[in-house]
Structure formats: structure tokens, C-alpha cells
């Protein structure tokens, strides 16, 4: 979904009549809020690639 949202921002942001363009991505119980800045053409949150599927988390990862 993140890639698709960023592609849409690439298509629309330069023609946006307002300084910031907000977007929501809802998938199941996951919500992500995007903000595109027309002046800088920057979209936040910044892209974070998928983690390596072979990565092994330490046993105490969820302990805080």
C-alpha cells in the first residue's frame, strides 16, 4: 500500500492547489496518515522498506 500511496502523491502533488495534501491509508486495523508538502515535494512519513524476511528477532524483543 505504501508504494501505491507514494505513486499517487507523485501524480497529484505538483498540481495540488493547497500547500499540503493529506491522505489516509486504511487496511484492516492499520491506519497510516500521509502528508505531502507541495513546496518541497516531500511526503511523510518517510519510506521504510520491508524488513528482511530472514531476520530473527531476539527472544526479549517484546519485553520492552
Amino acid at each position: 500500500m505504501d508504494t501505491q500511496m507514494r505513486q499517487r502523491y507523485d501524480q497529484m502533488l505538483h498540481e495540488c492547489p493547497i500547500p499540503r495534501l493529506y491522505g489516509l491509508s486504511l487496511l484492516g486495523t492499520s491506519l497510516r496518515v500521509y502528508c505531502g508538502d507541495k513546496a518541497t515535494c516531500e511526503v511523510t512519513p518517510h519510506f521504510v522498506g520491508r524488513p528482511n524476511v530472514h531476520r530473527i528477532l531476539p527472544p526479549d524483543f517484546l519485553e520492552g
Side-chain angles (χ1 to χ4, degrees):
M1 259 323 155
D2 188 71
T3 303
Q4 187 177 24
M5 285 293 286
R6 291 176 187 284
Q7 288 172 346
R8 299 284 187 238
Y9 269 94
D10 285 344
Q11 294 170 351
M12 298 185 305
L13 194 56
H14 66 280
E15 295 179 14
C16 183
I18 55 178
R20 289 198 174 107
L21 178 62
Y22 290 91
L24 300 176
S25 174
L26 297 156
L27 186 59
T29 59
S30 177
L31 165 69
R32 185 167 238 189
V33 179
Y34 292 85
C35 179
D37 187 304
K38 184 176 179 178
T40 63
C41 292
E42 185 174 312
V43 177
T44 55
H46 297 287
F47 177 76
V48 176
R50 294 183 81 180
N52 183 341
V53 295
H54 301 293
R55 181 178 71 173
I56 298 174
L57 297 174
D60 62 346
F61 178 74
L62 295 176
E63 291 179 8

